Amino acid sequence: MPIYNKLVRDRIPEVIASTGKQFSTRQLDNEEYIKELKNKSFEELEEYVNAENDENAIEELADLLEIIHALAECHGASIEKVEEVRQKKVEKRGGFKEKIFLIEVEDE
């Protein structure tokens, strides 16, 4: 039996059960949950980086966004609050739309 030891979406046990396969799970405490969400974010980011087309890239971005929603909630914030903070940073420092690549800055 393969061992996964990773955070999965809420309905994955239901999906596995529908195949008739045996499996085991446990519920994480809050500290473990945050740790595993962070681990999952790296997994999904790697999948995004390795996406070979726009459709797959969008799928992986959706997974990353789901993790961001969950992490915001863990930190006592809504996704709206995260968006508010994001917008303030855009106003103060800009976004990434202009595709600016910094090469060097003179030392003092």
Side-chain angles (χ1 to χ4, degrees), residues 72 76-88:
S78 66
I79 198 65
E80 292 80 15
K81 177 62 177 175
V82 174
E83 177 60 20
E84 178 185 317
V85 171
R86 184 199 70 81
Q87 188 59 43
K88 284 180 183 175

Side-chain angles (χ1 to χ4, degrees), residues 4 28 33 56 77 85 95:
Y4 290 92
L28 302 173
Y33 179 52
N56 289 346
V85 171

Side-chain angles (χ1 to χ4, degrees), residues 5-99:
N5 285 331
K6 68 177 191 174
L7 182 66
V8 295
R9 287 177 174 267
D10 297 339
R11 295 191 64 197
I12 294 301
E14 177 185 327
V15 171
I16 296 169
S18 73
T19 68
K21 294 180 181 178
Q22 297 295 312
F23 63 94
S24 62
T25 64
R26 72 179 181 86
Q27 193 165 19
L28 302 173
D29 64 31
N30 286 338
E31 188 176 311
E32 291 173 309
Y33 179 52
I34 292 172
K35 178 185 174 207
E36 293 305 322
L37 278 169
K38 290 176 181 181
N39 290 339
K40 191 73 169 175
S41 71
F42 285 111
E43 176 188 328
E44 298 299 344
L45 181 58
E46 183 176 2
E47 290 176 6
Y48 167 73
V49 167
N50 293 319
E52 294 184 1
N53 57 53
D54 289 342
E55 185 178 345
N56 289 346
I58 296 301
E59 285 284 326
E60 299 310 329
L61 287 172
D63 289 340
L64 283 164
L65 189 55
E66 186 63 31
I67 291 165
I68 290 168
H69 278 256
L71 283 166
E73 188 175 312
C74 286
H75 294 293
S78 66
I79 198 65
E80 292 80 15
K81 177 62 177 175
V82 174
E83 177 60 20
E84 178 185 317
V85 171
R86 184 199 70 81
Q87 188 59 43
K88 284 180 183 175
K89 291 183 93 170
V90 166
E91 290 168 9
K92 183 176 181 182
R93 300 180 64 106
F96 296 97
K97 291 182 181 185
E98 294 185 26
K99 305 174 187 173

